[in-house]
Amino acid sequence: VNAEEPQAFVGLGPDLSETPDAAATVWIDAVQFEKGSAATDFVRREPVELAIDTGRFGNVYDQGRPVEVAIQGANASGAPARVKVEAELEDYFGKALPATLCVLEIPAGQTAKTLLPLGLKDTGYYRGTVSWDAGGVKHAQQLRLAVIQPYGADSSPFGVNHAPSTADLCSGLKQAGVVWV
């Protein structure tokens, strides 16, 4: 069954709505979508799969620190895999930047990870694509990120009317110079 949208959001776990004071620990592994009346054994979509992660909340980097993305791969095949990963970015105004690349070597039946430096030094907003070919199947993932000079003062004329709901969101606002709510 082909997915109708590029992303799906699923909630899995026990329904504790009838017992709001109850607590549970749930471990979930190997979730797959399939059409049918009974579940089948889990299989990967492809023998070699990659994941791209900035490791940065909101994909916001501090100026002066390395701007790179983590590339993690899993190889379920019986042969080693060599995957070339390339990033093509442009700045806010659409100016193309030099492409960067790395190679991820994944031993047979194992996982591996590496870092893909993006070569960004200047502050700004950037967008582009990270692409790779795994086993003859071409993949591309959109990437949007920002490089900012973090706000370092304790006070600011900027604020918001409603406080964010998480500590990460509060930190992101402070990093941008919004220090009161």
Side-chain angles (χ1 to χ4, degrees):
V1 176
N2 289 330
E4 295 178 12
E5 299 291 332
Q7 297 181 353
F9 299 92
V10 178
L12 299 173
D15 181 359
L16 300 178
S17 58
E18 298 296 321
T19 54
D21 295 333
T25 299
V26 179
W27 295 87
I28 299 171
D29 183 27
V31 174
Q32 69 184 8
F33 294 107
E34 58 186 299
K35 187 175 186 176
S37 60
T40 60
D41 290 339
F42 177 78
V43 292
R44 294 181 186 274
R45 182 176 62 178
E46 298 169 18
V48 177
E49 295 181 330
L50 293 189
I52 313 297
D53 183 24
T54 65
R56 311 289 295 175
F57 183 76
N59 296 343
V60 177
Y61 293 82
D62 295 344
Q63 185 181 29
R65 299 188 129 189
V67 180
E68 54 199 9
V69 294
I71 310 296
Q72 300 180 58
N75 181 0
S77 75
R82 186 174 197 275
V83 183
K84 181 177 117 179
V85 182
E86 182 176 38
E88 295 176 310
L89 299 175
E90 63 182 29
D91 67 12
Y92 177 81
F93 301 102
K95 178 185 172 195
L97 304 172
T100 60
L101 63 93
C102 70
V103 174
L104 181 61
E105 306 273 353
I106 315 170
Q110 295 186 34
T111 61
K113 61 184 173 180
T114 191
L115 294 173
L116 171 61
L118 299 178
L120 301 174
K121 304 245 185 270
D122 295 331
T123 59
Y125 172 79
Y126 302 92
R127 63 186 164 268
T129 304
V130 178
S131 58
W132 65 95
D133 183 329
V137 180
K138 295 185 183 307
H139 297 275
Q141 182 173 325
Q142 297 298 309
L143 180 63
R144 290 176 174 80
L145 60 100
V147 179
I148 67 168
Q149 183 176 5
Y151 189 78
D154 290 331
S155 64
S156 166
F158 301 106
V160 293
N161 287 334
H162 301 285
S165 58
T166 68
D168 284 335
L169 289 171
C170 287
S171 294
L173 283 177
K174 183 171 184 197
Q175 193 177 17
V178 178
V179 298
W180 60 266
V181 293

